[in-house]
């Protein structure tokens, strides 16, 4: 067995400590940028213009599959928006989908709202959401398209903010940072803390640095810009279509602008299991799209892991007690995350400070577990009743479709 001599071991330890210190300062740079960005961007109405100004019409695409207890509330929030010209394009995968009855009931309730219902998708598309949306995308009558998934709760302020920011010629996409509405329960607290702390930390900072960081749950784009990068349907061969299409638009020189209003995911009765499975699916997608960044760098930036290796590094270089450093570092991040979450929330939280601390610690521990689970089968992704195999680079094939088995 090969053994390092003392000098070689010192070099290795020195290198690892330097890398750890770099990670430490990158983390805090991102955290500070995110903290400032949340203060400067969120809930600011300086970009809003009046309804009298000439704003392009918006085609709102709503991909649906099934019905949950809050779907009617989410859809009705789109019917009640005030905006000069918009249409609602609802998409369901087949004529047996229970969401059809709900859409038709709302169409009868709001006869003055311009709506269309598309049943069935476009064959040959692997991504179920793009499959669903393809007919609506091809038949949208307005130059701006807002993709708003079934969990999103809308408002007049949100559509106006998206449209006003997209009105600038150098802007290709305006997107909402993922967040959640107030719901009771421990799982709901976990979701709010994840989206308002861990995810928003990187999401806001990267957008402040003009990097392509955008999720596909709620974003508005110019159809002409999307068609210039092969159109939405082209990206249906990827399970993470939002990653690839936003990268393509960004590389064309267009800006991706963050909305002043976080996306309000409105989900009934969230569970810890569903939250964990969603995180595993997202990690596996990122690992296949950005293997080194998401497979190596990302877990090393998790709060507990970062605090662990940086406490060793500061002890190695400066002799600082690692136990004190670890404890103080975790407490400091927890305190700042609470303040940051209040900024993202834009008001008081539904849970107490003690409940926040408890859920925050569990969330950080769960984060390490989800990475470990994601590494076990990194190519296999379960989404609903379907199981996919994702190759490095993002290309996806369907392995199993339990939905077809149930129907047959």
């Amino acid at each position: 067995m090969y053994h390092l001599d003392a000098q070689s071991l010192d070099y290795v330890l020195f290198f690892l400590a330097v890398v750890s210190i770099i990670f430490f300062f990158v983390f805090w740079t991102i955290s500070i940028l995110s903290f400032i960005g949340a203060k400067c961007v969120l809930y600011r109405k300086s970009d809003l213009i009046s309804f009298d100004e000439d704003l392009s019409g918006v085609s709102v695409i709503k991909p649906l599959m099934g019905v949950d207890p809050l779907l009617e509330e989410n859809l009705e929030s789109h019917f009640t928006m005030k905006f000069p010209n918009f249409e609602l394009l609802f998409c369901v995968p087949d004529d047996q989908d229970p969401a059809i009855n709900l859409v038709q009931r709302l169409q009868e309730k709001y006869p003055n709202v311009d709506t269309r219902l598309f049943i069935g998708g476009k064959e040959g598309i692997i991504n179920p959401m793009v499959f669903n949306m393809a007919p609506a995308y091809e038949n949208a009558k307005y130059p701006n398209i807002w993709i708003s998934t079934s969990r999103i709760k809308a408002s007049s302020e949100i559509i106006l903010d998206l449209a006003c920011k997209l009105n600038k010629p150098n802007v290709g996409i305006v997107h909402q940072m993922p967040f959640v509405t107030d719901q009771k329960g421990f799982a709901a607290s976990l979701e709010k803390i994840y989206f308002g702390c861990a995810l928003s930390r990187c999401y806001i900072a990267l957008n402040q640095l003009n990097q392509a960081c955008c999720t596909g749950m709620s974003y508005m784009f110019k159809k002409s810009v999307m068609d210039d990068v092969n159109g939405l349907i082209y990206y249906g061969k990827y399970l993470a279509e939002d990653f690839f299409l936003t990268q393509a638009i960004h590389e064309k020189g267009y800006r991706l602008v963050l909305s002043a209003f976080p996306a309000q995911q409105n989900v009934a009765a969230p569970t810890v299991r569903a939250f964990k499975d969603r995180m595993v699916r997202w990690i596996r997608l990122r690992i296949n799209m950005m293997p080194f960044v998401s497979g190596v760098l990302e877990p090393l930036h998790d709060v507990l892991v970062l605090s662990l290796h940086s406490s060793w590094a500061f002890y190695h270089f400066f002799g600082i007690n690692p136990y004190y450093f670890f404890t103080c570092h975790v407490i400091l991040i927890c305190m700042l995350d609470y303040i940051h979450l209040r900024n993202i929330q834009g008001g008081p939280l539904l849970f107490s400070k003690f409940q926040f601390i408890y859920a925050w610690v569990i969330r950080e521990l769960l984060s390490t577990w989800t990475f470990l689970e994601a590494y076990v089968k990194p190519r296999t992704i379960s989404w609903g009743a379907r199981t996919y195999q994702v190759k490095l680079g993002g290309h996806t094939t369907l392995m199993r479709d339990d939905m077809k088995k149930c129907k047959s």
Side-chain angles (χ1 to χ4, degrees):
M1 182 179 291
Y2 179 75
H3 293 280
L4 288 175
D5 57 68
Q7 187 176 22
S8 298
L9 181 60
D10 285 342
Y11 283 135
V12 171
L13 294 177
F14 176 82
F15 174 77
L16 292 176
V18 168
V19 171
S20 178
I21 295 293
I22 291 172
F23 270 81
F24 176 84
F25 283 107
V26 168
F27 174 89
W28 279 103
T29 300
I30 288 173
S31 298
I32 293 168
L33 280 174
S34 178
F35 198 87
I36 295 171
K39 283 286 190 180
C40 296
V41 175
L42 298 184
Y43 306 106
R44 301 284 180 175
K45 301 180 181 181
S46 57
D47 286 340
L48 299 187
I49 55 181
S50 68
F51 285 131
D52 297 331
E53 186 155 342
D54 185 23
L55 281 174
S56 299
V58 176
S59 296
V60 185
I61 298 180
K62 297 289 298 180
L64 307 174
M65 183 182 290
V67 174
D68 65 54
L70 294 179
L71 180 62
E72 182 170 1
E73 180 182 332
N74 296 341
L75 297 188
E76 191 163 16
S77 70
H78 291 72
F79 277 89
T80 56
M81 293 187 302
K82 304 299 181 185
F83 191 78
N85 296 295
F86 75 96
E87 62 174 347
L88 300 178
L89 308 179
F90 298 100
C91 315
V92 293
D94 56 63
D95 58 7
Q96 301 301 311
D97 198 291
I100 293 175
N101 292 331
L102 174 57
V103 171
Q104 291 175 338
R105 190 164 71 248
L106 288 170
Q107 286 175 321
E108 292 174 2
K109 185 176 179 181
Y110 298 95
N112 295 326
V113 178
D114 186 4
T115 66
R116 283 183 282 172
L117 175 63
F118 295 88
I119 300 175
K122 191 177 180 70
E123 293 302 323
I125 299 177
I126 198 74
N127 183 304
M129 194 165 80
V130 179
F131 167 86
N132 224 5
M133 296 189 296
Y137 176 81
E138 292 179 329
N139 291 279
K141 69 180 181 181
Y142 290 121
N144 293 342
I145 293 180
W146 178 14
I147 293 178
S148 174
T149 53
S150 61
R151 294 180 170 190
I152 297 299
K153 190 173 181 180
S155 71
S156 301
E157 279 189 320
I158 290 172
I159 189 173
L160 182 59
D161 178 67
L162 295 172
C164 288
K165 287 183 167 68
L166 192 63
N167 206 39
K168 298 175 182 178
N170 64 333
V171 175
I173 287 180
V174 183
H175 56 105
Q176 292 185 272
M177 186 194 76
F179 197 48
V180 289
T181 58
D182 286 334
Q183 300 288 341
K184 294 182 178 179
F186 179 71
S189 300
L190 278 180
E191 289 205 343
K192 187 169 283 283
I193 288 169
Y194 168 73
F195 286 107
C197 298
L199 183 138
S200 69
R201 186 185 298 126
C202 291
Y203 201 96
I204 296 175
L206 289 173
N207 277 282
Q208 289 290 98
L209 295 170
N210 194 31
Q211 298 300 303
C213 181
C214 172
T215 64
M217 62 180 62
S218 178
Y219 63 108
M220 187 182 293
F221 56 85
K222 297 179 176 111
K223 192 171 188 293
S224 59
V225 172
M226 184 67 74
D227 289 340
D228 194 34
V229 292
N230 299 315
L232 177 66
I233 295 169
Y234 171 82
Y235 299 94
K237 62 184 179 180
Y238 305 109
L239 211 54
E241 84 293 341
D242 49 356
F243 173 84
F244 292 99
L245 66 87
T246 53
Q247 286 281 348
I249 290 174
H250 187 258
E251 288 171 3
K252 279 283 186 179
Y254 291 98
R255 291 185 60 217
L256 311 182
V257 177
L258 187 62
S259 169
F261 301 96
Q264 296 298 311
Q265 298 178 85
N266 196 32
V267 185
T271 65
V272 176
R273 175 65 181 272
F275 170 75
K276 187 269 297 179
D277 290 345
R278 193 181 186 191
M279 295 303 105
V280 170
R281 182 172 72 246
W282 285 3
I283 291 169
R284 286 175 176 168
L285 279 173
R286 295 198 299 271
I287 287 174
N288 286 287
M289 295 182 299
M290 304 175 292
F292 182 69
V293 172
S294 293
V296 179
L297 302 184
E298 190 177 333
L300 290 175
H301 267 103
D302 264 1
V303 170
L304 297 181
V305 176
L306 174 75
S307 300
L308 193 64
H309 67 71
S310 59
S311 63
W312 167 79
F314 276 85
Y315 170 74
H316 180 81
F317 281 125
F318 309 110
I320 299 174
N321 187 303
Y323 303 105
Y324 292 159
F325 186 96
F326 178 87
T327 304
C328 293
H329 191 247
V330 171
I331 291 173
L332 178 61
I333 295 175
C334 183
M335 290 170 57
L336 291 178
D337 271 357
Y338 180 80
I339 297 170
H340 185 59
L341 179 58
R342 287 288 301 266
N343 292 336
I344 303 297
Q345 175 83 353
L349 296 167
L350 198 62
F351 41 81
S352 67
K353 292 183 177 69
F354 176 79
Q355 290 171 318
F356 167 82
I357 294 170
Y358 174 68
W360 184 89
V361 172
I362 297 299
R363 211 296 307 174
E364 293 300 333
L365 291 170
L366 188 62
S367 178
T368 303
W369 175 262
T370 55
F371 268 102
L372 293 174
E373 184 175 336
Y375 290 143
V376 175
K377 293 182 179 179
R379 302 282 182 269
T380 304
I381 294 177
S382 297
W383 189 2
R386 298 183 175 95
T387 302
Y388 301 89
Q389 184 179 50
V390 182
K391 299 177 182 178
L392 284 177
H395 285 84
T396 306
T397 55
L398 180 64
M399 295 173 60
R400 189 176 71 250
D401 189 349
D402 294 334
M403 188 175 294
K404 288 184 178 179
K405 291 180 183 179
C406 292
K407 290 179 180 178
S408 61

